[in-house]
Amino acid sequence: MKIGILYICTGKYTIFWKDFYLSMEKNFIEDSEKHYFVFTDSNDIDFENENPRIHRIHQNDLGWPYNTLKRFHIFLEHEKELVNMDYLFFFNANLFVLEKINSKEFLPIDKENLVATLHPGFYDKEKIKFTYDRNTKSTAYIPKGYGDSYFAGGLNGGKTIKFIEAMKIIRDNVDIDNKKNVIALWHDESHWNKYLIERSDVKILTPSYLYPEGWTLPFKPIILIRDKNKYGGHNLLRNSKNTFYNILINALRNIFSKIVKKIPNLWILFIYHKTKSIIETQGIKIEKTPLLIITIAFNNIEILKTQYIYIKNNLQDDFIYMIADNSSVQNISNEIKKYCKDNKIPYVKLPPNPYNNPSKSHGMALNWTYKNIVKTYEPVLFGFIDHDIFPYQKTSIISSINSGIFGLIQVRNEKWYLWPGFCFYKYIGLKTIKINFMPKKGLDTGGANYYTLYKNINKDLLIKIPQIYIDINTNTEVKGINDTNTANTVECIGDWLHLMRVSNWNNKNNNKIHSVEEIISKVKKIL
């Protein structure tokens, strides 16, 4: 079994090599044939003459941040040598193996292909605090609300073919960003987290394997991150110059940039809400209707067809079903519009959304629809539903509303709000309240309504909707969802079935819409 160790020590980072190598030889998977690929600008390194498995490869110092941002570029230049390994792992220069590590605990097994390490600074944090890259211009962008783990960039790898595949994709994404003069927030670490966001083939190591020197964590230290301050600190090791001046200039530049960016954004938001669209009522009288159900559609005609059929057959209320189309693909919008016309479903194409972020885009769509549809037609009751949720058996909304609202309650710390994918209201109770479905202060889409609406309502008096998640592959109930199991999990919200993520925002296919009847049959048997 051959394991390739990828190690970069340009400039003064060569100070860490000797201790790293000795600790690896002593403690790391003793029954393996370890090959050290050492990328350095040094003319010689310790032990290279004694051990033929140490491969010193000349690498110029690219400077900060490119030594880290382009590390996968560096490795892939030597792909021909690397493919001879069974496994490849990148180790940060300042790591030191304290304890014996065996193959079973460290290497990917069975269906696992990659190995990632939980970041010691975020293993116990809420996902809202993860420092994913939120810049929509970067290929490393991850929207808020996605991802259940934040991985460190200092130790990663896996089966050789799969890790090389990952490195190539990340390399290409870095190049795409570079052409746009964009650098991901935490460089290769941001891209690594994006690559892993919905993978289910990852072996996850605890912070035991990246244990910062001097910290106290509830884990046994196995691999130590040596304190760079004891060796001169980041700036000395990176040969940084004019540190204070650069930090000051960058801070001022960031502040100024944020101020400037807000001006056009505020103007765009103002224009968006004031933009009018043609409301195609299909000859249906919407004013004062007992119940107006509005679906926010996004880039999927097939799920809308399924939703309409099940709502028409199973919802026993006097209602009008309407589609507000927030799709970003014109061809799909054309199909949705035609379907609505053929089936006499009221339809409106929303203005082009100023946000790429799914949560903010959804919030903007809801706000426009409330201001331009609900406030125009003043239904007795109204509600918003996602396009991938529908009643799988006979049910009623009108009989469920008390205290003026009904829906799936989301609790975040001491605050709460209704999930905007299934929320209903008495319009008269909202007429004098400023309604805002945008995310706010750690609350996802719809959360801003907490401050003007929900905090004045006792949620304990509301009807509690049973909510469970079901794995449709194993036909069992699961405790919750994460970014690795949504493809085979559905959510039951009372009498309603939520397929989840059929818009494929991350370009991964979701085939649940093609087996709805089979899924419903499984759900009914389990429940």
Side-chain angles (χ1 to χ4, degrees), residues 23 45 72 97 107 124 184 186 212 272 283 293 377 416 439 453 520-521:
S23 73
I45 57 174
F72 295 132
V97 185
L107 299 180
D124 60 345
W186 295 116
Y272 178 82
I293 298 177
Y377 294 109
W416 69 277
L453 173 62
I520 290 176
S521 177

Side-chain angles (χ1 to χ4, degrees), residues 92 94-96 98 120 152 154 207 209-214 223-228:
N92 250 9
N94 61 324
L95 298 186
F96 183 87
L98 295 170
Y209 297 86
L210 278 178
Y211 197 106
E213 184 176 1
I223 298 180
L224 186 72
I225 304 175
R226 289 189 284 179
D227 187 354
K228 293 180 182 179

